[in-house]
Structures are given as structure tokens and as C-alpha cells.
Amino acid sequence: MKKVFALLIGLFLLPLSVQAADFKEGTHYDVIKQTATEKPEVLEFFSFYCPHCFKFEPLMKNLEQELPADVTVKKSHVNFLGGAMADEVTKAYAAADLLDVKEEVTSIIFDQIHVQRKAINNEQDILDIFAKAGISEKEAKGALASFPVNGMAAQMKRNTETFKVRGVPTLIVNGKYKVNTGSVKSTKEFTELVTFLTKKTD
């Protein structure tokens, strides 16, 4: 898997000259559910502790810019990486979403873990991250302990179980199709594949 994602990230810098591919089930994507969501969506399963997810961020940001306006892009943090702090970091992501500082907190956490090589060991470390994003300790504590955040964290855990996610990053499109990222050869083809799947329901 490491080789696959290293290759994919390397391809992010290649010229976007690939022609639209003939995407095939079993090669470029797998059907994992019988029915699709009513509205087009892309759900990325990730972990702040995953180096591949950190490197995958530029691809996802590019994808969000390229997808049609009616496609919703969501993220679901998994709890099977991170040890004792996995649940708390998932709640931190949910709280960041609730407080509308999701992008800021995501950037800070990824940088702290993968660039600074600094661990997140306790609640104070999480509160310090929110402080860097402009959120007071009182506000952050309130959000982390709130019913909506606990509900969002529980939903992310259910998402992981529902789609039987065992590795990250994993992309599920329209609740039905799992993207085989190792099958694509460029950023353009990756975007075309995901776009193709957002329009597919059969």
C-alpha cells in the first residue's frame, strides 16, 4: 500500500494530459453497496496519524475544486490508528467542524504529527491546537463535551463499520463505490474517475 500511495502522490505533479479513461468495475472501482445515496457525495476516510492521508491532502483539495458544485465532499476520521488518543482526536475533528475551524485544525494537527513529529498526548495538547486555531480553551472544552460532537464522533465510527474500512485513505463515492486509487496514473485521471462515479448510480 505504501508503494501505491507513494506513486499516487508522485503523480500529483505530472502534466495533466491523460485522456479520459474507460473506467471499469473491479479495476478502477468496486461496488460495495446495492443502492447509492440520493445526492452525489464523496466520503473520505482518513486518520491524522496516517502519513498517506497527510500526503493525500493536496489531491483531495484539488478534487474538491474540480468536482461539480452539486457534489458534497465529506471526511470521516477513523479510530483504528492513534492508540489511546484515537477517540479524542476524532472528537477534536468533530469539534473543529462544529466550531467552523475544520480547515485550520486539520492543517495544524497534520503539521504537528507529520512535520514537527510532535505527539498529541492528552486533552491539553488538543486544547493548545484549538488555541492556535483561534478558539479559547473554554469554547473548545464546551464543544468537545457537547452532545453534537459526541454524536458526530459516533457517526464517524459507524461509517467505518458500515463500509468495513480497514485502511486509509479510502474514498467512497455515492455510498456505493469504493475508489481503487492505485489504478489511476495522474491527478487528472483521479479527478475524472471520482467525477465519473459521482454521476453513476447503477
Side-chain angles (χ1 to χ4, degrees):
M1 181 173 285
K2 289 183 178 180
K3 291 182 179 180
V4 169
F5 283 106
L7 175 63
L8 183 58
I9 298 305
L11 289 170
F12 181 70
L13 301 176
L14 289 178
L16 305 182
S17 59
V18 178
Q19 297 297 317
D22 179 18
F23 299 120
K24 297 179 180 178
E25 179 183 343
T27 300
H28 299 94
Y29 66 92
D30 294 315
V31 177
I32 58 173
K33 295 287 181 182
Q34 292 302 310
T35 58
T37 53
E38 290 185 9
K39 296 181 180 180
E41 68 171 43
V42 176
L43 177 59
E44 179 199 1
F45 288 89
F46 81 106
S47 170
F48 286 118
Y49 294 95
C50 166
H52 303 305
C53 299
F54 172 55
K55 294 177 180 178
F56 203 63
E57 279 290 284
L59 284 174
M60 287 304 299
K61 289 181 179 179
N62 180 76
L63 177 65
E64 287 191 57
Q65 294 175 351
E66 297 294 329
L67 286 173
D70 65 331
V71 179
T72 301
V73 178
K74 303 176 182 178
K75 284 177 172 281
S76 192
H77 193 266
V78 301
N79 288 19
F80 52 73
L81 296 176
M85 289 301 296
D87 289 344
E88 298 308 312
V89 172
T90 296
K91 285 176 62 178
Y93 180 71
D97 192 2
L98 182 69
L99 295 169
D100 200 26
V101 288
K102 185 169 58 177
E103 295 300 322
E104 293 88 340
V105 167
T106 295
S107 178
I108 292 167
I109 295 179
F110 268 137
D111 181 76
Q112 180 167 323
I113 294 175
H114 299 288
V115 179
Q116 300 179 42
R117 304 292 182 181
K118 184 179 178 182
I120 299 173
N121 296 311
N122 48 50
E123 182 188 37
Q124 189 57 54
D125 288 345
I126 291 175
L127 294 174
D128 290 343
I129 289 167
F130 276 98
K132 291 177 183 177
I135 303 298
S136 70
E137 183 171 306
K138 180 179 180 180
E139 190 176 8
K141 278 188 173 182
L144 288 164
S146 70
F147 178 78
V149 163
N150 279 280
M152 292 165 69
Q155 182 60 58
M156 284 189 271
K157 186 174 183 179
R158 285 194 296 273
N159 288 342
T160 302
E161 295 168 352
T162 297
F163 291 105
K164 298 180 174 60
V165 175
R166 299 291 181 267
V168 285
T170 292
L171 259 65
I172 306 295
V173 180
N174 293 1
K176 183 174 180 176
Y177 311 104
K178 179 181 176 182
V179 177
N180 293 331
T181 50
S183 69
V184 299
K185 299 178 177 61
S186 71
T187 301
K188 185 173 186 289
E189 189 174 354
F190 171 68
T191 301
E192 288 176 347
L193 170 57
V194 177
T195 302
F196 164 78
L197 292 174
T198 63
K199 299 175 180 179
K200 185 176 175 63
T201 56
D202 61 337

